[in-house]
Amino acid sequence: MVVWGTTFVSSKVLLDHGLMPDEIFFLRFLQAYLALIPLCHRRWLAKSWRDELIFLGLGIFGGSAYFLAENTALQFSTTSNVSILVGSTPLVTALLLGAIYKADRLSLKQSLGSVVAFVGMALVVINGQLVLQLNPLGDSLALAASLTWAIYSLFMRWISGNYSTLFITRKVFFYGLVTIVPFMLLSGHTPQWAHISQPVVLYNLLYLGLIASSLCYLLWNYVLKVIGTIKATNYIYMQSFITMLAAKLVLGERITLMAILGVVLLISGLVILQKNKHKA
């Protein structure tokens, strides 16, 4: 979450230097995929076509569809709106799993913790800016991004016990790349060497590809397997706090008392949530 919380700043730097959202996604996933091949090259196909289709779903919902929905939402809605709505992913994931598995429905204590953490996260994102502008299209896309990551976590639950984390993560990157290419062909966006060769662009791309994608997807997929989908996903609430700190250090953005109050609520909500011993 510390790394993923800083990716918004890196992506903003790349966008400011002329790269398009689909180009950034393609370049970061291409690096991540190539980095994992030397570590996982003995098996290329899943054990069954059913599993292969699940891997395709993972690449779409945890890759191309998620990033396209989130980045396109930013073009129509405000950053605050998108951050808050995408930040609802833990709650959306819990509701999705609860609808499918009765044993995973939120208890009263968990519901309280989720609400407290979500309010805290929202205050951190708003950070003293009390004007939220509604945009139906942009806000719907942001919610769609939240839902796609929830579905990704659900698919991971179905497949994680049958394959190694390395194999799963490599397949996610492969299908993420395959499904973003048609969009790039339609949009006409292709990475330009004149943009990529700039040192600040290259360094941020390497960070997004090798650290935020290759390493962090490996860690995330392992964490989902070890501590469970709901408990792991709750940590996504922390991203807003990390993004706030990164924006302060790199972009010089201010931190208000509202944001500090939000951090207190966010951590309190997480404490309530993580006291629950149930693994989902």
Side-chain angles (χ1 to χ4, degrees), residues 9 13 19 47 126 143 150 175 181 237 249 267:
V9 176
V13 170
L19 271 72
K47 298 174 183 177
I126 295 171
L143 279 174
Y175 280 117
V181 168
Y237 284 128
L249 294 173
I267 294 175

Side-chain angles (χ1 to χ4, degrees), residues 59-265:
I60 294 173
F61 292 111
S64 54
Y66 172 78
F67 283 98
L68 282 176
E70 183 181 64
N71 291 326
T72 306
L74 287 169
Q75 296 177 333
F76 294 98
S77 188
T78 64
T79 302
S80 295
N81 284 32
V82 174
S83 298
I84 291 172
L85 293 170
V86 173
S88 68
T89 298
L91 189 55
V92 173
T93 302
L95 293 174
L96 177 64
L97 288 178
I100 298 174
Y101 302 103
K102 185 177 180 180
D104 293 335
R105 291 175 185 170
L106 293 177
S107 65
L108 181 60
K109 185 177 180 180
Q110 289 175 297
S111 299
L112 174 63
S114 291
V115 170
V116 171
F118 180 77
V119 171
M121 180 273 300
L123 291 178
V124 169
V125 171
I126 295 171
N127 197 13
Q129 302 175 19
L130 296 178
V131 179
L132 290 178
Q133 301 173 357
L134 298 180
N135 182 289
L137 177 58
D139 295 346
S140 296
L141 286 169
L143 279 174
S146 177
L147 180 60
T148 59
W149 193 258
I151 296 173
Y152 172 81
S153 300
L154 176 64
F155 279 19
M156 274 296 301
R157 180 172 180 171
W158 291 344
I159 205 77
S160 62
N162 300 323
Y163 299 90
S164 69
T165 304
L166 267 173
F167 181 80
I168 293 172
T169 308
R170 197 201 71 205
K171 296 289 279 187
V172 170
F173 293 144
F174 173 76
Y175 280 117
L177 288 169
V178 168
T179 53
I180 198 64
V181 168
F183 181 87
M184 294 182 69
L185 292 175
L186 289 173
S187 67
H189 298 154
T190 54
Q192 302 295 318
W193 178 247
H195 292 154
I196 300 173
S197 60
Q198 300 174 72
V200 65
V201 172
L202 184 60
Y203 295 150
N204 278 281
L205 279 174
L206 288 172
Y207 177 70
L208 289 175
L210 300 181
I211 306 300
S213 295
S214 185
L215 177 61
C216 285
Y217 267 79
L218 270 175
L219 291 175
W220 179 253
N221 292 340
Y222 175 75
V223 165
L224 287 175
K225 183 185 296 187
V226 173
I227 69 173
T229 305
I230 293 177
K231 194 168 186 178
T233 307
N234 285 332
Y235 283 103
I236 290 177
Y237 284 128
M238 288 297 297
Q239 280 195 61
S240 58
F241 170 56
I242 302 300
T243 301
M244 179 186 69
L245 292 181
K248 170 65 177 178
L249 294 173
V250 179
L251 303 176
E253 295 185 3
R254 67 193 183 105
I255 297 176
T256 66
L257 288 175
M258 177 184 287
I260 294 173
L261 173 60
V263 171
V264 173
L265 290 175

